[in-house]
Amino acid sequence: MKILKIISLLFIIIVLTTSCEDETEQEVSDLGLVKTAVVNDLNSDGFVQVGETITYTFKVTNTGDNTISQIVINDDRIAVQDLSLNPSELTPSASASISVDYTITSSDLTDESITNQATVSGVDDEGVVITDLSDNDSNYADNETITTLDIVPYANGIFILNEGNYGSGNASITFVKNDFSSIEQEVFKTVNSDVLGDTAQSIYLTDDRAYIVVNGSNKIEVVNRYTMEQVVTIEGASINNPRYMVVHNGIGYISNWGDAADPNDDFISIIDLATNSVTGIIPVEVGPEKMEVIGDKVYVAMIGAWNTNNKILVIDTTSNTVVSNIDLGDNPNSMIVDGNYLYVVSGGISYPISDETAGRIDKIDISTNTVTATWNFNATEHPYHLTHDGSSFYYSLNGGVYKWDGIVALPISPENGLDGFYYGMITKDGLLYALDAGDYQSEGTLKIFDLSSNTQTQSITTGIIPNGVVFN
Amino acid sequence: MKAVFLIILSLFYFSGLSQGNDINQLEEVHVYSYFSPSYQVGYSITILTDSILKSENSNLSQLLKKQISAYIKEQGSGMTASISMRGSGASHTAVYWNGIPINSSLNGQTDFNTVFTSHYNRISIRKGGGSVLLGSGAIGGAINLENELQYINKTKAFLFGSIGSYDSYSTAAFVNHSTKKAALQVGFNGLSSENNYPYSNTEIVNENGEIMNYSVLLNTGFKLNNKHNLYLKTLFNNSDRNTSGTLYTTNNANLDYTNQSILLGWVHKNTKSQGEFKTAYLKEDYKYTFNKNIPDIFSDNGSKKWYTNYGFYYNLNSKIILHTAANYEILKGEGTEIEESSRQKLSFLSSLHHTLSEKLQYNFNIRKEWSSVYKIPFVFSFDTKQQWYKNHATSFNFSTNYRIPTLNDLYWQPGGNPDLIPEKSWSSELGYEWNYKASKFCINAFKSHSTDMIQWKPETAMYWKPVNIQSVTISGLEFSFKNSIIMNHHKFTGHIHYSYTISKDDETQKQLIYVPNHMGGLLLSYTNEKWYVEFDEQYNGSVYTSTSNTKSIDDYWLSSISVKRNLFNKKLSVGMDINNIFDVDYQIIASRPMPKQNLTLLINYKF
């Protein structure tokens, strides 16, 4: 019993003396770093876009017993290097915060999140460097910060417009991510629980919207280009057999063929995009098709609808009147602006055989609106789908894709490896996006070719009768 | 149209109520014919006669859906309609008017919504390949619309009027007057409808769907003596329809289709032989106005056909009938999309009908046809039927068949391809039949293979062109059971049928679009002295709308009921049809909703 008392006493003495030693002899230098991240939805659309920012706030607390000075913060992931805290000296228990804005990049959106950890460092009064890794809410834990980016569903990818069969109401839109990690069919229907409509002819993108021209249904579906959510439907008597759309200064121009039977009722509708209402129409000759905005003019290729036509009309957007027309080959079907010139492919009349005319390409000087050069095809050749990849022109003819420099004579033979009867095609960044409608009664295919080697790199199933691609 | 309807209606009041005899079902006359079950023993043939044909003012679509569960593809209610018989395409059922082929020379089809069935005394439906006897296009089957002239000293008339939903009015009159020496038939049919039914779950109605069809026939015949008779049959038919929009498109177009047929025939009979000479002139015209408000812009194409046929039957002995026929045809086509074109055809066929015993019969037929445009293959067929003891019978047929390209396929601008060749096909069938009193059960298995089938393919971005490219294998099974029970004055009949069809493209191994796997139907009726009640249930299986078989239209069940009250000794009946009684929302073609529950009130007078 006595022994037990002695041991207990001894234990108490040891404990007391030890704690006394700590209190009196050891002073600690320590820092705590808490990092918080707030995503700034600058356009208030509920999603993160490239160019929007994340505000990171670093709160540094002196958790030790000594004053710490020369406090700096580093966070490589968001390019924060030796950021000085203000004030850069903290007495024990004191704290200070500093914020930085990080601008979101496209690769961040691809990753769909940002993971980072900052380091704070300072020097105590004895010259010892003190550091701490950041945490989300604690001065003592060290967890990385993971900021999930609420990305828009339909950014960083392409929309494929699928025209569908006339009368069947099966037009649709396919979305493909740029890295091909996902392919989503019928996105309009998925988001809006409604059918897109009948015979979707074309799609035009503005900053935040997509205008889908639904030819058979005589309407323009206006959607948020990143969410596909329907904003409004533009329809009425001034949208009749609509084909294509362009936008200049907040005003939309839509080419319309009018009634199938009437070659004299074709027009361009003028839409105020602020109100999505038709503010007027410009009556034109038969068959206005694709358009290009150049300066304050709209160049309209007159393909001729169910008849034939052979010119470009130039509309002055300040007066909304036709100020000039430029005679070309028959049925101009596609055009490309290259510097001060507009290149136009006219398909020629492919039927009836007795009236067949040759296709041709015209080069128009935009400053004078005159044709400065013409390249003629053979009598039975009908080219389509002129596109430009930044250095060369490409067009489609008789199941081949031809490459042309825009200067010398037209090529004699098509490019090896690119063959196909494409319903639409476009080049971008060294790639050819070619749309194969197959048998026109089932899913088509988007074929992507690398133009440096003319090899096919992707084959993507689309909806029915894909006719165009836009890059979102 | 309303005026005509009222005139016809008033006829009911002024008609005498005294004349005798109910209109009889035509007695089954055993004359050698390409549509006679007594002679075409290895084929399934359904014959519909006056008791069915003169009870409603149906079109051929409605009749065949109800009677044989046919799959009819309608481009919207009342619009252009075609049949798929045994999984085959729209131009693979050959339609005949009194033995003369009437499928359009332009598109190879008959529009089943423009054929008024009360015009005819007998409509025969023959399933399976029959090109040897029937010529081009009889691949999936053939239908004959027949006006039979009888020399029996009798006057019969049929008057019909109806008012239905969506401002629909229909009227029919048919008078058949004959002596021992002469016969006359006069018929009129009319149908008009606003056809503006609402599409369910939307605010859209079926716009631009107005229909105005009418048809007139005049047939006359003279029995010169016991051996010879002459006849003249004429038909004029006009169908003026706007072409309705869809759920997602509007339409302003109008299709005005006219055909005229004149047939002159001479029949001579001996004790052992019979010959028939026929010569016919057929004219058709399709006028398509893109916008009915702009009448001067249209597409207008037509054809004229002179058709001459001589067929001869000879009873070699009590067991063998020999038949031979020659056929010459001149066809001319012309229009805004078809350059003036003409072609001629000449064909010969020979046929042996042999009764080996009371229980075993067979036919062997061969045909060769020449055309001024392309080579037509030699075709042959064989069919047989064996009666087994106690009401059982089995049958078999095998045939080779063909279909020549249409004028549109050959000459349409743009795209028409003059280098096309005929489609070729073989088909075969095995059948079993059981008969007991008023019950009949049939089951048939069929298979066919078609090659060089014509398909329009995109030629350039601007137009399509037909090519001989597709081959299709079809196999299937169909059964039917019929029964009727008579108890005192009560008669119950029931008819149930079902078919399962696989129709696959050889290359893709996918089911053809708009060919259902499953079709079925049930028709029940009860009748007594005063009442007639009929219940009809049709099942249409799901059909694919994309060739990849990824998209489809749902299947549906459609029920209708018809109640009629007989008055004045069954001469007069008044009644009501309720169609689609359960208000089913259905589509035959994608994005073209069909009418929901609708009503027809009708009055029918026969003497």
Side-chain angles (χ1 to χ4, degrees), chain A residues 32-43:
Chain A
L33 175 59
V34 171
K35 180 169 81 170
T36 52
V38 175
V39 179
N40 302 304
D41 183 12
L42 300 179
N43 63 358

mmCIF file with all atom_site columns, all heavy atoms in Angstrom, chain A residues 32-43:
data_model
loop_
_atom_site.group_PDB
_atom_site.id
_atom_site.type_symbol
_atom_site.label_atom_id
_atom_site.label_alt_id
_atom_site.label_comp_id
_atom_site.label_asym_id
_atom_site.label_entity_id
_atom_site.label_seq_id
_atom_site.pdbx_PDB_ins_code
_atom_site.Cartn_x
_atom_site.Cartn_y
_atom_site.Cartn_z
_atom_site.occupancy
_atom_site.B_iso_or_equiv
_atom_site.pdbx_formal_charge
_atom_site.auth_seq_id
_atom_site.auth_comp_id
_atom_site.auth_asym_id
_atom_site.auth_atom_id
_atom_site.pdbx_PDB_model_num
ATOM 1  N N   . GLY A 1 32 ? -1.043  29.306 -40.112 1.00 0.00 ? 32 GLY A N   1
ATOM 2  C CA  . GLY A 1 32 ? -2.136  28.522 -40.689 1.00 0.00 ? 32 GLY A CA  1
ATOM 3  C C   . GLY A 1 32 ? -2.638  29.219 -41.945 1.00 0.00 ? 32 GLY A C   1
ATOM 4  O O   . GLY A 1 32 ? -2.744  30.444 -41.978 1.00 0.00 ? 32 GLY A O   1
ATOM 5  N N   . LEU A 1 33 ? -2.938  28.406 -42.995 1.00 0.00 ? 33 LEU A N   1
ATOM 6  C CA  . LEU A 1 33 ? -3.437  28.997 -44.249 1.00 0.00 ? 33 LEU A CA  1
ATOM 7  C C   . LEU A 1 33 ? -4.758  28.322 -44.630 1.00 0.00 ? 33 LEU A C   1
ATOM 8  O O   . LEU A 1 33 ? -4.825  27.107 -44.787 1.00 0.00 ? 33 LEU A O   1
ATOM 9  C CB  . LEU A 1 33 ? -2.408  28.811 -45.369 1.00 0.00 ? 33 LEU A CB  1
ATOM 10 C CG  . LEU A 1 33 ? -2.848  29.264 -46.769 1.00 0.00 ? 33 LEU A CG  1
ATOM 11 C CD1 . LEU A 1 33 ? -3.209  30.747 -46.789 1.00 0.00 ? 33 LEU A CD1 1
ATOM 12 C CD2 . LEU A 1 33 ? -1.742  28.971 -47.782 1.00 0.00 ? 33 LEU A CD2 1
ATOM 13 N N   . VAL A 1 34 ? -5.794  29.148 -44.747 1.00 0.00 ? 34 VAL A N   1
ATOM 14 C CA  . VAL A 1 34 ? -7.092  28.645 -45.214 1.00 0.00 ? 34 VAL A CA  1
ATOM 15 C C   . VAL A 1 34 ? -7.383  29.296 -46.561 1.00 0.00 ? 34 VAL A C   1
ATOM 16 O O   . VAL A 1 34 ? -7.287  30.506 -46.710 1.00 0.00 ? 34 VAL A O   1
ATOM 17 C CB  . VAL A 1 34 ? -8.203  28.976 -44.196 1.00 0.00 ? 34 VAL A CB  1
ATOM 18 C CG1 . VAL A 1 34 ? -9.569  28.640 -44.789 1.00 0.00 ? 34 VAL A CG1 1
ATOM 19 C CG2 . VAL A 1 34 ? -7.978  28.207 -42.901 1.00 0.00 ? 34 VAL A CG2 1
ATOM 20 N N   . LYS A 1 35 ? -7.702  28.443 -47.541 1.00 0.00 ? 35 LYS A N   1
ATOM 21 C CA  . LYS A 1 35 ? -7.964  28.961 -48.893 1.00 0.00 ? 35 LYS A CA  1
ATOM 22 C C   . LYS A 1 35 ? -9.408  28.686 -49.268 1.00 0.00 ? 35 LYS A C   1
ATOM 23 O O   . LYS A 1 35 ? -9.894  27.561 -49.122 1.00 0.00 ? 35 LYS A O   1
ATOM 24 C CB  . LYS A 1 35 ? -7.041  28.280 -49.903 1.00 0.00 ? 35 LYS A CB  1
ATOM 25 C CG  . LYS A 1 35 ? -7.251  28.775 -51.332 1.00 0.00 ? 35 LYS A CG  1
ATOM 26 C CD  . LYS A 1 35 ? -6.166  28.302 -52.268 1.00 0.00 ? 35 LYS A CD  1
ATOM 27 C CE  . LYS A 1 35 ? -6.424  26.881 -52.723 1.00 0.00 ? 35 LYS A CE  1
ATOM 28 N NZ  . LYS A 1 35 ? -5.519  26.476 -53.805 1.00 0.00 ? 35 LYS A NZ  1
ATOM 29 N N   . THR A 1 36 ? -10.113 29.699 -49.734 1.00 0.00 ? 36 THR A N   1
ATOM 30 C CA  . THR A 1 36 ? -11.477 29.478 -50.226 1.00 0.00 ? 36 THR A CA  1
ATOM 31 C C   . THR A 1 36 ? -11.552 29.930 -51.677 1.00 0.00 ? 36 THR A C   1
ATOM 32 O O   . THR A 1 36 ? -10.817 30.828 -52.097 1.00 0.00 ? 36 THR A O   1
ATOM 33 C CB  . THR A 1 36 ? -12.506 30.270 -49.404 1.00 0.00 ? 36 THR A CB  1
ATOM 34 O OG1 . THR A 1 36 ? -12.087 31.630 -49.354 1.00 0.00 ? 36 THR A OG1 1
ATOM 35 C CG2 . THR A 1 36 ? -12.635 29.710 -47.999 1.00 0.00 ? 36 THR A CG2 1
ATOM 36 N N   . ALA A 1 37 ? -12.431 29.265 -52.412 1.00 0.00 ? 37 ALA A N   1
ATOM 37 C CA  . ALA A 1 37 ? -12.575 29.575 -53.840 1.00 0.00 ? 37 ALA A CA  1
ATOM 38 C C   . ALA A 1 37 ? -14.028 29.909 -54.141 1.00 0.00 ? 37 ALA A C   1
ATOM 39 O O   . ALA A 1 37 ? -14.933 29.195 -53.707 1.00 0.00 ? 37 ALA A O   1
ATOM 40 C CB  . ALA A 1 37 ? -12.133 28.385 -54.681 1.00 0.00 ? 37 ALA A CB  1
ATOM 41 N N   . VAL A 1 38 ? -14.248 31.007 -54.849 1.00 0.00 ? 38 VAL A N   1
ATOM 42 C CA  . VAL A 1 38 ? -15.596 31.374 -55.290 1.00 0.00 ? 38 VAL A CA  1
ATOM 43 C C   . VAL A 1 38 ? -15.562 31.548 -56.801 1.00 0.00 ? 38 VAL A C   1
ATOM 44 O O   . VAL A 1 38 ? -14.771 32.324 -57.332 1.00 0.00 ? 38 VAL A O   1
ATOM 45 C CB  . VAL A 1 38 ? -16.059 32.675 -54.599 1.00 0.00 ? 38 VAL A CB  1
ATOM 46 C CG1 . VAL A 1 38 ? -17.426 33.110 -55.164 1.00 0.00 ? 38 VAL A CG1 1
ATOM 47 C CG2 . VAL A 1 38 ? -16.131 32.484 -53.107 1.00 0.00 ? 38 VAL A CG2 1
ATOM 48 N N   . VAL A 1 39 ? -16.434 30.787 -57.490 1.00 0.00 ? 39 VAL A N   1
ATOM 49 C CA  . VAL A 1 39 ? -16.494 30.909 -58.947 1.00 0.00 ? 39 VAL A CA  1
ATOM 50 C C   . VAL A 1 39 ? -17.381 32.097 -59.293 1.00 0.00 ? 39 VAL A C   1
ATOM 51 O O   . VAL A 1 39 ? -18.485 32.226 -58.768 1.00 0.00 ? 39 VAL A O   1
ATOM 52 C CB  . VAL A 1 39 ? -17.052 29.619 -59.576 1.00 0.00 ? 39 VAL A CB  1
ATOM 53 C CG1 . VAL A 1 39 ? -17.142 29.761 -61.086 1.00 0.00 ? 39 VAL A CG1 1
ATOM 54 C CG2 . VAL A 1 39 ? -16.187 28.424 -59.196 1.00 0.00 ? 39 VAL A CG2 1
ATOM 55 N N   . ASN A 1 40 ? -16.866 32.979 -60.126 1.00 0.00 ? 40 ASN A N   1
ATOM 56 C CA  . ASN A 1 40 ? -17.633 34.173 -60.500 1.00 0.00 ? 40 ASN A CA  1
ATOM 57 C C   . ASN A 1 40 ? -18.356 33.936 -61.829 1.00 0.00 ? 40 ASN A C   1
ATOM 58 O O   . ASN A 1 40 ? -17.726 33.834 -62.877 1.00 0.00 ? 40 ASN A O   1
ATOM 59 C CB  . ASN A 1 40 ? -16.700 35.372 -60.634 1.00 0.00 ? 40 ASN A CB  1
ATOM 60 C CG  . ASN A 1 40 ? -15.965 35.604 -59.342 1.00 0.00 ? 40 ASN A CG  1
ATOM 61 O OD1 . ASN A 1 40 ? -16.578 35.771 -58.289 1.00 0.00 ? 40 ASN A OD1 1
ATOM 62 N ND2 . ASN A 1 40 ? -14.632 35.563 -59.399 1.00 0.00 ? 40 ASN A ND2 1
ATOM 63 N N   . ASP A 1 41 ? -19.671 33.830 -61.747 1.00 0.00 ? 41 ASP A N   1
ATOM 64 C CA  . ASP A 1 41 ? -20.481 33.599 -62.951 1.00 0.00 ? 41 ASP A CA  1
ATOM 65 C C   . ASP A 1 41 ? -20.780 34.960 -63.577 1.00 0.00 ? 41 ASP A C   1
ATOM 66 O O   . ASP A 1 41 ? -21.822 35.560 -63.355 1.00 0.00 ? 41 ASP A O   1
ATOM 67 C CB  . ASP A 1 41 ? -21.763 32.871 -62.533 1.00 0.00 ? 41 ASP A CB  1
ATOM 68 C CG  . ASP A 1 41 ? -22.636 32.528 -63.716 1.00 0.00 ? 41 ASP A CG  1
ATOM 69 O OD1 . ASP A 1 41 ? -22.152 32.640 -64.871 1.00 0.00 ? 41 ASP A OD1 1
ATOM 70 O OD2 . ASP A 1 41 ? -23.799 32.143 -63.491 1.00 0.00 ? 41 ASP A OD2 1
ATOM 71 N N   . LEU A 1 42 ? -19.812 35.437 -64.344 1.00 0.00 ? 42 LEU A N   1
ATOM 72 C CA  . LEU A 1 42 ? -19.886 36.825 -64.810 1.00 0.00 ? 42 LEU A CA  1
ATOM 73 C C   . LEU A 1 42 ? -21.120 37.095 -65.660 1.00 0.00 ? 42 LEU A C   1
ATOM 74 O O   . LEU A 1 42 ? -21.687 38.172 -65.620 1.00 0.00 ? 42 LEU A O   1
ATOM 75 C CB  . LEU A 1 42 ? -18.616 37.179 -65.589 1.00 0.00 ? 42 LEU A CB  1
ATOM 76 C CG  . LEU A 1 42 ? -17.310 37.045 -64.777 1.00 0.00 ? 42 LEU A CG  1
ATOM 77 C CD1 . LEU A 1 42 ? -16.112 37.382 -65.650 1.00 0.00 ? 42 LEU A CD1 1
ATOM 78 C CD2 . LEU A 1 42 ? -17.333 37.948 -63.552 1.00 0.00 ? 42 LEU A CD2 1
ATOM 79 N N   . ASN A 1 43 ? -21.530 36.109 -66.452 1.00 0.00 ? 43 ASN A N   1
ATOM 80 C CA  . ASN A 1 43 ? -22.707 36.356 -67.299 1.00 0.00 ? 43 ASN A CA  1
ATOM 81 C C   . ASN A 1 43 ? -23.977 35.774 -66.684 1.00 0.00 ? 43 ASN A C   1
ATOM 82 O O   . ASN A 1 43 ? -25.019 35.695 -67.339 1.00 0.00 ? 43 ASN A O   1
ATOM 83 C CB  . ASN A 1 43 ? -22.487 35.820 -68.718 1.00 0.00 ? 43 ASN A CB  1
ATOM 84 C CG  . ASN A 1 43 ? -22.310 34.311 -68.738 1.00 0.00 ? 43 ASN A CG  1
ATOM 85 O OD1 . ASN A 1 43 ? -22.322 33.668 -67.680 1.00 0.00 ? 43 ASN A OD1 1
ATOM 86 N ND2 . ASN A 1 43 ? -22.150 33.747 -69.924 1.00 0.00 ? 43 ASN A ND2 1
#
